[in-house]
Amino acid sequence: MTVLQESQHLVSDRTPHHARSTGDGGWVVSYLPGRTLTRDQAEAALLALEDMAALQAHVGLLGLTVLEAMGMAAMECPWPPPRKEGFAARALAWAGVSR
């Protein structure tokens, strides 16, 4: 996952989307029409797409799209939180450590 600057463009090896310089420090990104961004914002926009590609690889195993998984994950968890003490005790037991 890399975003590189090639002349007046920012490109990614994970997505066909790219950014181009408008001069005076402004950048436009192919999937964000009408917005002028800083270079850092343009790079962040491309990195977000790279992250989406990685997420798709994971959620694809579940038969979901990234948007479906994010929508489900944004919902409040219906289960009570696990007891931390029990988790720590199990973690220590797995590591072969006794209290």
Side-chain angles (χ1 to χ4, degrees):
M1 293 187 349
T2 304
V3 173
L4 300 171
Q5 184 167 350
E6 295 180 356
S7 183
Q8 297 299 306
H9 287 83
L10 293 177
V11 297
S12 166
D13 58 352
R14 298 273 174 120
T15 177
H17 286 285
H18 58 279
R20 65 182 156 98
S21 173
T22 62
D24 297 326
W27 290 81
V28 292
V29 178
S30 56
Y31 76 95
L32 297 172
R35 296 183 186 202
T36 302
L37 308 172
T38 66
R39 188 198 181 286
D40 287 345
Q41 290 172 323
E43 184 174 357
L46 294 178
L47 288 171
L49 289 180
E50 290 187 351
D51 290 344
M52 282 182 56
L55 284 172
Q56 185 57 58
H58 296 299
V59 300
L61 294 173
L62 304 172
L64 300 171
T65 67
V66 171
L67 292 177
E68 289 169 329
M70 296 305 289
M72 291 174 182
M75 295 172 53
E76 187 172 324
C77 181
W79 300 350
R83 291 185 9 215
K84 292 184 185 205
E85 181 180 323
F87 175 77
R90 287 192 304 274
L92 290 173
W94 291 333
V97 178
S98 60
R99 287 185 165 197

